[in-house]
Amino acid sequence: QVLQPPCFHFYCPAVVLVTMVFKYVMIPAGDDSMQELEHPAVDTLENNDPFIAMVKQYLDRAGAKVDKATLLLNLKEHGKGQAPNVPDEMLDRMISATSVDLFPLAVPMKDNGFHGVTLYCDDKGIAKSLPPNVRAIGLASVLGYPGQNFRGDIFLSRTFDDDDAWRRVDFTLADCSSSAEWVAHQSALRAKAASAPRSLSDLTAQLGGGGPQVTGGGAPPMLTQSALQTGGEEKEFKWSQSEEEVEVLVPVPSGTTKKDVTVKFGMATVTVAVCGRPIVDGSLGGKVVPDGCTWTLVDDALQITLEKAQGAPWNAVMA
């Protein structure tokens, strides 16, 4: 029997009107039909809105138990093979807490009308032995994110975010089709990013070899995993870390303004686009607290500050 997301038609009536709703999609992990559902709309920050609270409540109701040994193994694998030094009390809190992993399938930017699409799933799906969500994994692969391992039931929601306004908008069953306009757009964008430089030397060559200046006002090339994994300070970028934070400096074209930049933080992902083109996109070297992550422009560079979810050192910026 498939659990139904809780009905919120009368959720928080002092804040939202029952007629103000947005549509979203739930994809069960099994063979049950995908569902197009509705939730009251609010204008608020993504990590504090009632929709995520609903997803957490749904995962709580599912009642799957966390296997402690599997969770520790996952933490070890995420730490590049190093056994995590997690106090028992903290580990017990991790096991008992319900948390949602956010995976950005599409980042809001000018050429897609500032509409983003995010996938929400249980971040302890493996430790709970939840079944793989084949349809969600397939959708991510079509969009240019192969090799993902989403477990359990997942939710898909669309947001509008142009920095001046943020709100959830309709995402329907029709949007799950491989022929949907946003799917074609995102697939083409990811294919373009895949042709970006694969090494720091390639990156330097595309930037002209003389620093972070880029002529013509275009977006800088993609900073790929191979470039960011070296760590320390380099000619074109640098990254550093403390017990609480990781800081990355990424070059951007001269004259870049805040309106040109889109940054999205997930529990273990970061996506950065400049002038509509991704320059950083992938899984991080550790988990972060999205609400505690910030960015700012400093002297033709983008300074990204990531708040660690745990105090363990990172071996690389990107996983």
Side-chain angles (χ1 to χ4, degrees):
Q1 182 179 1
V2 177
L3 286 175
Q4 296 295 322
C7 177
F8 282 97
H9 285 294
F10 297 98
Y11 182 92
C12 199
V15 178
V16 297
L17 300 175
V18 295
T19 55
M20 297 174 59
V21 298
F22 64 86
K23 296 178 181 180
Y24 66 97
V25 169
M26 183 185 74
I27 304 181
D31 297 327
D32 294 294
S33 298
M34 298 188 296
Q35 299 181 47
E36 181 180 301
L37 304 164
E38 292 183 344
H39 192 280
V42 294
D43 296 331
T44 181
L45 294 176
E46 184 171 355
N47 287 295
N48 295 319
D49 72 67
F51 177 74
I52 293 182
M54 180 276 294
V55 174
K56 288 183 178 180
Q57 183 176 344
Y58 177 89
L59 298 177
D60 275 336
R61 292 171 63 214
K65 303 299 183 182
V66 175
D67 181 78
K68 186 174 182 179
T70 304
L71 180 61
L72 285 171
L73 181 61
N74 291 341
L75 292 173
K76 181 178 180 179
E77 291 175 350
H78 200 71
K80 308 297 183 182
Q82 298 179 1
N85 183 20
V86 182
D88 290 340
E89 183 179 353
M90 180 181 296
L91 186 61
D92 290 340
R93 288 201 300 268
M94 292 175 61
I95 290 174
S96 61
T98 298
S99 52
V100 180
D101 199 2
L102 283 64
F103 189 93
L105 295 174
V107 178
M109 56 185 64
K110 185 176 181 180
D111 61 351
N112 67 9
F114 298 102
H115 288 102
V117 177
T118 302
L119 181 151
Y120 302 83
C121 63
D122 194 323
D123 79 337
K124 300 185 186 72
I126 295 177
K128 292 180 179 179
S129 297
L130 299 179
N133 195 311
V134 177
R135 287 175 291 192
I137 293 171
L139 176 60
S141 182
V142 169
L143 292 168
Y145 300 99
Q148 301 304 315
N149 191 14
F150 305 121
R151 298 293 189 103
D153 300 344
I154 68 96
F155 297 81
L156 296 171
S157 176
R158 173 178 281 129
T159 55
F160 172 84
D161 185 359
D162 66 351
D163 288 338
D164 293 326
W166 183 97
R167 62 181 177 272
R168 292 194 182 276
V169 295
D170 286 346
F171 185 89
T172 67
L173 285 174
D175 290 313
C176 296
S177 170
S178 59
S179 61
E181 182 179 354
W182 80 275
V183 173
H185 177 273
Q186 182 64 20
S187 299
L189 194 65
R190 290 287 297 172
K192 185 177 180 180
S195 64
R198 305 303 299 176
S199 68
L200 186 58
S201 59
D202 291 341
L203 174 64
T204 304
Q206 288 200 19
L207 290 175
Q213 301 296 323
V214 179
T215 59
M222 182 84 164
L223 284 182
T224 58
Q225 174 179 330
S226 58
L228 288 175
Q229 274 187 328
T230 57
E233 185 168 353
E234 298 290 344
K235 184 175 182 179
E236 302 301 338
F237 73 92
K238 65 178 181 179
W239 72 279
S240 60
Q241 63 178 314
S242 64
E243 185 177 351
E244 296 85 14
E245 295 179 337
V246 173
E247 184 175 287
V248 185
L249 281 177
V250 181
V252 295
S254 180
T256 297
T257 67
K258 181 180 178 182
K259 284 287 188 180
D260 300 322
V261 180
T262 302
V263 181
K264 293 295 178 184
F265 300 108
M267 295 288 292
T269 60
V270 63
T271 303
V272 180
V274 176
C275 300
R277 181 178 179 184
I279 60 172
V280 178
D281 188 2
S283 299
L284 292 166
K287 288 202 171 185
V288 300
V289 181
D291 282 343
C293 298
T294 61
W295 64 271
T296 187
L297 290 170
V298 180
D299 296 331
D300 293 335
L302 184 65
Q303 178 179 306
I304 302 172
T305 302
L306 306 168
E307 180 181 336
K308 293 181 178 180
Q310 299 173 354
W314 289 15
N315 293 335
V317 177
M318 307 300 285

